[in-house]
Amino acid sequence: MAYPDDLLSDGEAVVLHKHPHWKMLLVPYLALVVILGLGIWGAILVQDLSWAMIAWIIIGALALILTIWLFIVPFLRWRTTHFIVTTDRVMAREGIVTRTGIDIPLSRISSVRFEHGLIDRVVGCGTLIIESSAQEPLEFDDIPNVEKVHTLLYREVNDNPYDDHKAIDGRA
């Protein structure tokens, strides 16, 4: 899904647009399977009761509430979280109802690094850490292909000439 062009400045182009890694959805999908399994099991248990219809309604309502809370909300949170690198800046946007965002001009980035543990390496994601000249380091978790994103961001910063720009590796 492309980032809306009307939110970019003149001459700015999207270089990279990613959602968090799919590993963020493992627990919500597991919750969905458990909710469905327990709901079916509960419906089978109460089918011979005289008040089975009421029990089914209660089971269905409970399953619906749990599905919204444990699956739909995390899925929408994942879907509405964006990590974008453009020719001018790095942007992060997230939120369903209340949207938050941060923009870091490429000229302000002083260093970029990444971290990923064993599980992250197996599934192909990691944490991207961006240090800018004015703020504490910003960490972006669960970035897919974090090493490639790191390299791409490094190239974008170094390929864009700025007057007061420091290279990512600390050399002028």
Side-chain angles (χ1 to χ4, degrees), residues 32-164:
L32 180 63
V33 169
V34 169
I35 291 166
L36 290 174
L38 289 175
I40 292 169
W41 179 68
I44 291 170
L45 283 180
V46 300
Q47 71 182 353
D48 294 331
L49 298 175
S50 61
W51 50 279
M53 187 60 74
I54 294 171
W56 286 339
I57 291 171
I58 292 170
I59 290 169
L62 187 59
L64 179 64
I65 291 167
L66 288 173
T67 300
I68 290 170
W69 180 40
L70 297 175
F71 176 74
I72 293 176
V73 169
F75 179 81
L76 289 174
R77 190 173 295 123
W78 172 81
R79 190 73 181 115
T80 59
T81 300
H82 304 271
F83 179 80
I84 304 122
V85 177
T86 72
T87 52
D88 295 339
R89 58 190 163 155
V90 174
M91 299 185 288
R93 302 284 187 268
E94 63 182 30
I96 299 169
V97 177
T98 303
R99 299 279 296 161
T100 59
I102 187 165
D103 292 4
I104 306 167
L106 293 179
S107 62
R108 297 270 187 183
I109 294 176
S110 57
S111 73
V112 178
R113 61 188 171 98
F114 67 91
E115 296 174 353
H116 53 166
L118 181 61
I119 301 291
D120 288 342
R121 290 179 71 187
V122 168
V123 298
C125 68
T127 300
L128 187 69
I129 302 159
I130 299 175
E131 292 183 34
S132 66
S133 56
Q135 301 173 355
E136 292 201 18
L138 296 169
E139 293 188 10
F140 300 98
D141 296 323
D142 297 323
I143 301 293
N145 300 315
V146 72
E147 290 184 58
K148 290 180 181 178
V149 174
H150 172 266
T151 301
L152 179 121
L153 188 54
Y154 179 86
R155 287 185 184 144
E156 278 300 310
V157 169
N158 285 319
D159 288 346
N160 288 321
Y162 298 104
D163 295 336
D164 60 344

Side-chain angles (χ1 to χ4, degrees), residues 9-13 87-88:
S9 60
D10 291 336
E12 185 177 20
T87 52
D88 295 339

